[in-house]
Amino acid sequence: MSKAWELLVPKMKALADLKSALMLLHWDQLVMMPSGGGEARGRILATLRGIAHDRLGDPELGDLLAQLAEDASLDADERASVRVLRRDHERAARVPNDLVRAIAEQSTITYGRWTEARRASDFAQLEAELGKLVDLKKAEADALGWERERYEALLDEYEPGMTAAELENMFGDLVSGLQPIVDTATEGAGPRPAFLVGDYDPAKQDMLCRRLVTMIGFDFAAGRFDTAPHPFTAGVAPGDVRQTTRYRRDEPFPALYAAMHETGHALYEQGLPEAFNHLPIRRAPSGGVHESQSRLWENHVGRSRGFVDYLFPHLKELFSAELDAVTSEDLYRAVCHPRRSLCRVEADELTYNLHIVLRFELELAMFRDELATADLPDAWDAAMEKYVGVRPLDHSDGVLQDMHWCIGMFGYFPTYSLGDIYAAALWETVEQQLGSLDTELRVGDTSRLLEWLRENIHQQGYRYEAKELIERVTGKPPSPHPLLRYLRSKYSDLFGFGAGT
Ligand code: ZN
């Protein structure tokens, strides 16, 4: 083993430990912390983030990594670790500490202002503070450095190696492929089935969700399942993966599908190789690849004809009165029901990506200096009408619905659609290699699928960049066509011409 690598190991371990501590504090803040702890927690997180940023940007670490980049004695995983850590180091070293702190402080202020503006449905209350945050993020992008597009400096944090031009191409094809399917399916689907809303005891929902996530492979000895205001998953450390969902008494399906979604993320975290435990490659190559796992379990499994057949008797057992006259076929059509809606998080599988593309278009325009913060509400409403076909009545249902921009997450939205694009490409490959899974999903057996994902995705960690991983596994570079094929086939079977009632 090389001497330089030996020097690097304790540094990587310390960075991994700091990351775990931050993740645990973040989870605690959203799940367990009493509201009185908020102010102190903000300070504690800022201190720890500062320490992590300093350690990562440390010039000594940079020298060591530069030396290791030339070291021929390293094996492939060690080389990948050096490549990934070097990139993280360079990004950290380029952004001055006072800018990092200014962004953190402005994010807290802007987020606070957003919660008030959203309550009042008044973008004017947010505009000035959001404008300041956008300016700071532009300064961050400039400090990070960019060639073609300032936006790419920010995108690179969430989807390394992806370019704005590639996204514009893929999303352009996606939208033009989706529009005719959406037109036909929303017309054919008719009104929303009434049983989607009713009186569904949250305690029973919780029982069902726990049964379900256990069945598809979530390991409770190495994880937790709790409730939080917004469902999320935190891979705290090896052997400690925490997912959350939220329950609404009037609707059981959002919680159930959030649990399927988060279990997809959690299975990924639980499936990362033990051999990578303190290495920087013990993570997904990108937000899009992580999201591919959640969307695959949520939609390709959870909303498949076979799996709904498995789910149906479990639901019927717990909610016999509410689902009295409902058949498994009714349930399948209901959980796939498409509609043009204003809200991203409530959007169905078919229209969801239209919500993402419009956000991408707007944030790209902002970072090209083509769209001023003050003009966001009008631009939002126009884009919503163009892509989804509905117009918000007020700001809370429109431009104020997501918090991402108000905590400085510019460049994150595309990972949601990339997740769907990657998931569909992986699913097509699974079916080519394993055959149809419908029969086994019908009895709730997901073991062959999980084994395939473990081997092809989870166990790879961050050995390869996202595009390379997808191409290695599916044999083709990422494209929206598998997703369009999947949606076209599913929705024309379900709600195509002549199928509507
Ligand atoms: Zn997700």
Side-chain angles (χ1 to χ4, degrees), residues 261 265 291 294:
H261 180 100
H265 285 304
E291 193 69 6
S294 56

Side-chain angles (χ1 to χ4, degrees), residues 143-400:
L144 286 164
W146 48 275
E147 284 166 26
R148 299 167 298 255
E149 287 268 0
R150 179 191 267 152
Y151 179 78
E152 286 174 0
L154 304 177
L155 175 66
D156 213 47
E157 182 176 347
Y158 307 113
E159 197 66 27
M162 185 59 70
T163 68
E166 283 173 300
L167 286 178
E168 284 184 296
N169 275 334
M170 280 197 279
F171 290 177
D173 287 351
L174 185 58
V175 168
S176 54
L178 275 175
Q179 296 288 18
I181 315 175
V182 172
D183 288 346
T184 310
T186 48
E187 202 178 300
R192 216 166 165 242
F195 69 86
L196 287 173
V197 177
D199 183 24
Y200 293 93
D201 179 1
K204 288 187 189 170
Q205 291 186 45
D206 187 63
M207 205 193 297
L208 178 64
C209 284
R210 284 172 187 278
R211 203 187 278 175
L212 194 63
V213 306
T214 308
M215 194 282 295
I216 62 179
F218 181 67
D219 177 5
F220 274 88
R224 289 187 57 88
F225 182 89
D226 298 276
T227 55
H230 298 281
F232 73 103
T233 295
V236 172
D240 185 354
V241 176
R242 305 175 184 210
Q243 61 161 314
T244 61
T245 193
R246 66 174 161 193
Y247 299 109
R248 291 170 52 165
R249 182 171 267 283
D250 60 340
E251 283 193 65
F253 297 102
L256 202 145
Y257 282 99
M260 291 288 290
H261 180 100
E262 297 306 329
T263 302
H265 285 304
L267 289 173
Y268 196 168
E269 291 290 324
Q270 290 188 332
L272 290 166
E274 240 182 274
F276 291 2
N277 269 357
H278 56 268
L279 300 179
I281 55 172
R282 192 187 178 279
R283 66 179 203 239
S286 74
V289 175
H290 221 305
E291 193 69 6
S292 77
Q293 299 305 289
S294 56
R295 299 292 280 178
L296 188 143
W297 286 95
E298 178 189 354
N299 291 331
H300 294 270
V301 176
R303 290 190 167 90
S304 69
R305 188 68 191 86
F307 194 77
V308 168
D309 264 353
Y310 166 75
L311 202 56
F312 182 65
H314 292 275
L315 270 161
K316 199 103 170 173
E317 178 198 326
L318 291 168
F319 304 109
S320 54
E322 292 81 358
L323 300 175
D324 182 38
V326 174
T327 65
S328 180
E329 179 65 21
D330 295 336
L331 179 63
Y332 176 53
R333 294 172 70 86
V335 298
C336 300
H337 189 86
R339 61 171 172 168
R340 300 180 192 275
S341 68
L342 291 167
C343 175
R344 175 184 66 86
V345 296
E346 285 170 16
D348 54 86
E349 181 183 14
L350 181 60
T351 58
Y352 185 81
N353 290 299
L354 300 172
H355 292 261
I356 302 304
V357 172
L358 83 87
R359 286 157 174 77
F360 165 67
E361 190 177 281
L362 295 181
E363 57 184 20
L364 190 59
M366 276 192 265
F367 283 84
R368 282 177 177 168
D369 294 320
E370 291 168 1
L371 175 63
T373 312
D375 299 327
L376 258 179
D378 287 344
W380 180 284
D381 292 353
M384 196 71 190
E385 195 152 18
K386 173 178 152 197
Y387 287 115
V388 189
V390 280
R391 206 174 174 88
L393 295 173
D394 56 29
H395 293 163
S396 67
D397 281 336
V399 66
L400 292 176

